[in-house]
Amino acid sequence: LEAQWRKQFVGKTASDPIKLNQDIQNIGGATLSCKHLTDGVKRVAVLHELTLKNIPSVSTQTLKAK
């Protein structure tokens, strides 16, 4: 059940609602945990969209050289 629940997040982006009981189904008896995890995934998706999405990849060689 947990793996199936997590699969709901695959492919989601900051433009998706990522809201419990909207596009993410709840797990009975775990409402607060599901809500907190869902809210966290939304925050990470927005952060990625705003800051990381447009940064060119840095190779590990570049990181080692510094």
Side-chain angles (χ1 to χ4, degrees):
L1 182 62
E2 291 176 21
Q4 186 177 0
W5 185 81
R6 289 191 309 266
K7 286 181 183 179
Q8 298 178 91
F9 295 97
V10 174
K12 298 283 186 191
T13 67
S15 61
D16 292 305
I18 311 180
K19 289 202 65 95
L20 195 61
N21 297 321
Q22 198 171 85
D23 61 333
I24 303 297
Q25 296 298 313
N26 193 18
I27 296 175
T31 301
L32 287 179
S33 296
C34 292
K35 179 174 178 9
H36 294 146
L37 283 167
T38 301
D39 291 348
V41 169
K42 178 64 174 187
R43 283 192 295 272
V44 169
V46 169
L47 178 65
H48 177 265
E49 188 74 27
L50 294 175
T51 60
L52 303 174
K53 187 175 181 181
N54 297 317
I55 295 176
S57 296
V58 178
S59 73
T60 55
Q61 287 292 53
T62 304
L63 291 175
K64 287 179 182 176
K66 291 184 177 185

